[in-house]
Amino acid sequence: MSALLVPSSSSPARPSRNGDGDRNRDVVLGPITARTYRAFLASPHGEALGAGFLQCPSWADVKEGWRAQLLGWGPDPEAGELTGVALVLLRQFPGTRKHFAYFPEGPVADWSDPDLDAWLTPLLEHLRRTGAFAVRIGPSPAHRRWSAARLKPLTGPGRRLGDVLASEVDPLGTAVAERLRARGWRRCGGGATGTDGGTGTGGGDAQPRHVFQVPLAGRTTEDLWSGLNQEWRRNVRRARKEGVEVVVGSAADLPEFCRLLALTERRDGFRLGRSLVYYERQYAALNAEEPGRMKLYLARHQGEILAAHTLITVGRRAWYQTGASADHRREVRPSNALQWRMLLDAHAGGADVYDMRGVPSTLDPAERAYGLLRWKLGTGGRVVETLGEWERPVGGSANHALHRAFQAYLKRR
């Protein structure tokens, strides 16, 4: 059963007025419709906040076993006067009426506002009144960035990203982390790389802590081509010479995508746990919200599909979500051809960044996981360490105890 968008019987929550809050406009928080939510994301202010696809209303229809609410805050949420929004997923703790509240890569908020309490306090109050015992969020600011040029010469036995001085440390990320700690939030997990849209219920991050991004804004296609390393350019040329054809598929091609994904999981030693039904539901939900939001790219050679990758676009951001390829004829480089076409299409569509999602934190070439990072480094982008996910109980000793019990329950599953 898909996540259900449920209304709340709670009245809109208002923050207490003290300290820095006195200089802010009145903020009201409450449930909003999907239409109002989407209109905000499409507005100049909403687009500037850079919402990810996991915070789109359609994601509620993708997840199973969760209920969902769409929340907004601002001067008048019901009238569409908003300054932020959030999709919250709610999972019930068995045997109770209490819920775990999860904001995957959200809320969609202005994290640069030093007065987080103006919207965070009413958000927590709303969740408490609706029966949440704990909440997990995924703030959007970055923490550190490493360029491909910085990382490639510094690989070695036992080395990890944290051993390399970052090319850039984001002061906003540092400030947000300090503000959250001061309010009782605790960062989840250690170095988990996460999944392609999982749910926050374990001890570590459910979403990737480290992602790989290729900046597109202000760059020409010639810039993107010169940004590829020599091996990538050679492989793209090889695919072209061998006659690899890249096309955009349809929902009818999802079974073949899933067949190739199963081969890829066995070959590369990972398990996403996503079924054909899951991808069919995701494809239908995202494209019903906005046609072309999710695309399936196929690489054909001699009439056979050798690789298939999914691309998701929201506003001025594009994500390479999941890739799959056959075990044979890899020498014609279908995956390189796919990525180059997807990169060009994201650029032509006006995206500012092409996000290749999670990468491992290892810089040790002897570790199997390093191969994924090495492949993405070849695009000339950068590794971005996000702030990760943060969690806290929602007030009261009973909820603290329930939170600990819930974590223990999940570890036993």
Side-chain angles (χ1 to χ4, degrees):
M1 175 176 167
S2 300
L4 175 67
L5 283 172
V6 295
S8 169
S9 59
S10 305
S11 58
R14 297 178 181 270
S16 58
R17 309 276 303 159
N18 56 63
D20 287 341
D22 289 335
R23 63 174 174 76
N24 275 330
R25 67 282 177 208
D26 287 332
V27 176
V28 179
L29 183 145
I32 58 175
T33 66
R35 182 177 181 178
T36 299
Y37 193 115
R38 288 192 295 266
F40 173 76
L41 293 184
S43 69
H45 178 60
E47 189 175 79
L49 295 179
F53 64 92
L54 299 180
Q55 277 293 298
C56 287
S58 56
W59 199 251
D61 296 322
V62 177
K63 304 312 299 175
E64 286 190 304
W66 297 75
R67 292 187 303 126
Q69 287 183 4
L70 299 178
L71 303 174
W73 56 89
D76 191 348
E78 292 184 356
E81 296 181 26
L82 296 164
T83 55
V85 293
L87 165 67
V88 56
L89 301 175
L90 303 167
R91 168 156 283 179
Q92 188 172 0
F93 188 178
T96 76
R97 295 183 179 181
K98 295 283 190 172
H99 295 84
F100 180 86
Y102 179 48
F103 297 81
E105 298 189 356
V108 183
D110 179 8
W111 292 94
S112 66
D113 186 344
D115 185 18
L116 293 183
D117 292 328
W119 58 269
L120 196 53
T121 297
L123 177 63
L124 292 173
E125 176 60 19
H126 170 85
L127 294 172
R128 185 192 64 79
R129 288 188 286 121
T130 55
F133 64 87
V135 58
R136 177 181 285 204
I137 60 176
S140 60
H143 177 35
R144 295 182 290 182
R145 299 179 178 88
W146 294 264
S147 68
R150 170 69 60 89
L151 291 174
K152 283 189 287 189
L154 296 176
T155 61
R159 292 186 67 85
R160 307 192 74 79
L161 283 170
D163 299 325
V164 178
L165 184 66
S167 305
E168 178 185 350
V169 176
D170 194 319
L172 175 59
T174 301
V176 170
E178 291 174 352
R179 292 167 188 161
L180 289 175
R181 287 192 186 97
R183 289 158 175 80
W185 295 82
R186 294 293 177 265
R187 192 172 179 177
C188 303
T193 57
T195 66
D196 64 336
T199 42
T201 55
D205 292 322
Q207 307 307 327
R209 175 73 61 86
H210 297 95
V211 298
F212 196 88
Q213 296 179 349
V214 181
L216 303 180
R219 303 177 71 189
T220 65
T221 55
E222 290 75 18
D223 294 333
L224 297 178
W225 177 254
S226 63
L228 302 179
N229 68 13
Q230 186 177 15
E231 181 181 5
W232 260 80
R233 292 196 296 268
R234 182 172 62 247
N235 288 341
V236 173
R237 291 192 187 102
R238 175 69 182 273
R240 188 182 302 130
K241 181 180 178 180
E242 294 288 345
V244 174
E245 178 191 17
V246 177
V247 299
V248 178
S250 67
D253 298 301
L254 287 171
E256 181 62 12
F257 163 72
C258 287
R259 185 188 71 81
L260 291 173
L261 182 57
L263 292 175
T264 304
E265 289 177 332
R266 287 196 293 270
R267 181 180 67 241
D268 295 345
F270 69 92
R271 174 67 175 160
L272 293 179
R274 307 301 187 202
S275 66
L276 172 59
V277 172
Y278 173 89
Y279 284 108
E280 288 175 335
R281 186 169 63 246
Q282 183 189 64
Y283 189 90
L286 270 61
N287 288 321
E289 183 172 66
E290 181 176 314
R293 170 147 288 169
M294 179 177 178
K295 294 180 180 178
L296 176 64
Y297 283 76
L298 310 171
R300 292 197 182 106
H301 183 250
Q302 298 178 358
E304 181 183 1
I305 297 175
L306 292 183
H309 296 177
T310 58
L311 179 74
I312 299 176
T313 304
V314 179
R316 302 184 69 86
R317 298 175 66 189
W319 292 263
Y320 157 48
Q321 187 197 20
T322 307
S325 61
D327 291 336
H328 61 288
R329 252 184 282 165
R330 297 171 63 79
E331 70 278 1
V332 302
R333 304 301 180 183
S335 292
N336 293 94
L338 275 178
Q339 283 300 307
W340 178 239
R341 166 68 184 277
M342 291 163 66
L343 195 61
L344 290 179
D345 284 0
H347 180 266
D352 289 335
V353 63
Y354 180 69
D355 193 319
M356 301 181 79
R357 295 292 279 169
V359 290
S361 60
T362 180
L363 294 176
D364 187 343
E367 291 190 28
R368 187 174 190 174
Y370 173 76
L372 177 64
L373 175 59
R374 179 182 179 276
W375 187 69
K376 294 183 180 182
L377 284 172
T379 64
R382 60 195 182 188
V383 174
V384 178
E385 182 184 13
T386 70
L387 281 185
E389 296 184 328
W390 296 69
E391 195 169 297
R392 60 161 290 175
V394 185
S397 57
N399 282 343
H400 278 72
L402 195 56
H403 185 211
R404 290 192 295 270
F406 188 65
Q407 292 175 320
Y409 160 76
L410 290 169
K411 289 179 182 178
R412 294 195 301 268
R413 291 184 64 192

